[in-house]
Amino acid sequence: MKGHLYKVTLEHLQDAKGQAVDDSKLVFETRNHDDIFKIVEMMKGKMDIDETDAIAFAVGLKLFGEVMLNNRDVELFKQFKPHMTDFMKQLKKQ
């Protein structure tokens, strides 16, 4: 499979009440046709959101978008594709 290979690690540090959470971790590898690090750098300062939100947004959007591309025959993704296309066009204008 072509594309950039990433290892994603998500650690749950605190619950909704601020209590520490131990040993809750997701780790997986995934591919993406884009260089996510370059996308993250482009997103910083592009929108009127803080840097942490920009990073989370860029990473989440790229992971979601790649899943949609890889599973374009799934009915839910077929229905959502026109909205995603419009959204991406608006985002690129920012």
Side-chain angles (χ1 to χ4, degrees), residues 1-9 27-37 63 66 70:
M1 181 175 251
K2 292 184 180 182
H4 302 267
L5 179 63
Y6 297 96
K7 181 177 185 177
V8 178
T9 302
V27 179
F28 61 95
E29 291 184 359
T30 188
R31 290 195 179 272
N32 198 287
H33 68 278
D34 284 323
D35 181 335
I36 295 176
F37 287 92
L63 293 178
E66 196 74 12
N70 292 339

Side-chain angles (χ1 to χ4, degrees), residues 13-86:
L13 303 177
Q14 291 181 345
D15 65 17
K17 295 180 181 179
Q19 300 298 313
V21 177
D22 293 328
D23 296 328
S24 291
K25 185 187 290 190
L26 292 173
V27 179
F28 61 95
E29 291 184 359
T30 188
R31 290 195 179 272
N32 198 287
H33 68 278
D34 284 323
D35 181 335
I36 295 176
F37 287 92
K38 285 183 182 177
I39 301 293
V40 165
E41 286 305 312
M42 287 187 330
M43 287 303 302
K44 291 179 183 177
K46 189 173 183 113
M47 297 169 48
D48 191 23
I49 58 177
D50 70 35
E51 186 172 314
T52 300
D53 284 345
I55 293 167
F57 172 70
V59 171
L61 184 62
K62 290 310 303 173
L63 293 178
F64 176 66
E66 196 74 12
V67 170
M68 280 189 60
L69 285 173
N70 292 339
N71 297 279
R72 63 188 78 187
D73 293 334
V74 173
E75 188 58 34
L76 185 61
F77 293 147
K78 282 182 185 179
Q79 293 175 18
F80 189 69
K81 186 178 186 314
H83 305 288
M84 182 69 157
T85 301
D86 290 343

